[in-house]
Amino acid sequence: MKILIAGTGDTAVHLAKMLSREDQDVVVMGKEKEPLQELDARYNLLTHEGSPVRPSHLRAAGVAGCKLFVAVTPFENHNIVSAQLAKWLGAARTLARIDNAELLADDARARMSALGVDEMVYPELLAAQEIRQSLCHPWLRHLSASFWFDNGRSRENSGRRTGCGYTVARFRQDALRHSHLCY
């Protein structure tokens, strides 16, 4: 699947690394030449120097043929505008990183979708949800001992005992039994 990522910050680089390891057809677009050269040299992906808010640069990066356009620049307005432009130029799906929680309201989501922004991600909200989950279910930290990784894919070993003596199956049962406590 062809994926075009706009931005060269930490989030964009992390996404590009993960997706290129999954053998996705990744293109990273950004204004700064140095981070693009470093990405190009280290990972199996393509780079394109240009501004994601300029239609001619998006076309040159191949937005018309991409299945997913991800805008994760540091600027919310650039992310929204570039996602709208990408949709207009032929991207199948668009995602924009936002900094304003009000855009996640149902009416705003519907309006943004109508304008070409299919999905929005608010990193601060995601972090807060993770913290809340951790506080509500402190025993979840022990789950990491129940999983092992094979070539980047997570595989569950449900009979294996964790560091605290539980099996993964037991963790699942406890999670289902206590999930109502935090919601």
Side-chain angles (χ1 to χ4, degrees):
M1 172 168 60
K2 183 172 181 182
I3 301 168
L4 178 56
I5 300 172
T8 55
D10 291 340
T11 304
V13 169
H14 181 71
L15 280 172
K17 286 193 277 190
M18 284 185 354
L19 294 168
S20 71
R21 287 184 189 136
E22 294 178 5
D23 292 327
Q24 301 294 337
D25 185 11
V26 179
V27 178
V28 178
M29 175 183 208
K31 294 180 187 178
E32 301 87 24
K33 186 178 238 171
E34 292 163 16
L36 292 173
Q37 289 174 334
E38 186 176 325
L39 278 170
D40 191 32
R42 297 176 84 193
Y43 302 101
N44 183 25
L45 51 79
L46 298 172
T47 59
H48 181 81
E49 188 177 354
S51 171
V53 295
R54 296 193 59 190
S56 61
H57 292 190
L58 286 168
R59 278 190 199 99
V63 73
C66 76
K67 298 290 182 197
L68 177 63
F69 176 82
V70 180
V72 286
T73 73
F75 309 106
E76 178 184 62
N77 57 340
H78 285 196
N79 294 337
I80 292 170
V81 169
S82 64
Q84 291 171 332
L85 288 171
K87 185 62 120 178
W88 175 61
L89 294 170
R93 303 255 329 138
T94 61
L95 181 142
R97 177 183 177 174
I98 59 169
D99 299 323
N100 181 353
E102 292 177 7
L103 294 176
L104 296 175
D106 289 339
D107 59 334
R109 270 187 196 271
R111 177 70 55 140
M112 293 302 279
S113 181
L115 293 172
V117 182
D118 297 315
E119 300 290 334
M120 294 177 287
V121 176
Y122 183 39
E124 287 80 1
L125 178 62
L126 295 176
Q129 289 170 340
E130 287 291 322
I131 292 168
R132 179 176 179 228
Q133 183 74 9
S134 177
L135 293 173
C136 290
H137 305 292
W139 50 268
L140 281 176
R141 328 183 253 274
H142 299 292
L143 273 179
S144 63
S146 301
F147 293 90
W148 53 280
F149 295 90
D150 177 49
N151 293 331
R153 290 188 306 265
S154 170
R155 288 196 180 165
E156 184 180 337
N157 187 351
S158 60
R160 182 174 175 210
R161 295 204 174 270
T162 66
C164 60
Y166 275 155
T167 63
V168 173
R170 172 87 186 273
F171 269 127
R172 251 195 231 115
Q173 290 170 351
D174 286 352
L176 291 172
R177 195 169 342 118
H178 300 294
S179 63
H180 68 282
L181 297 176
C182 287
Y183 302 101

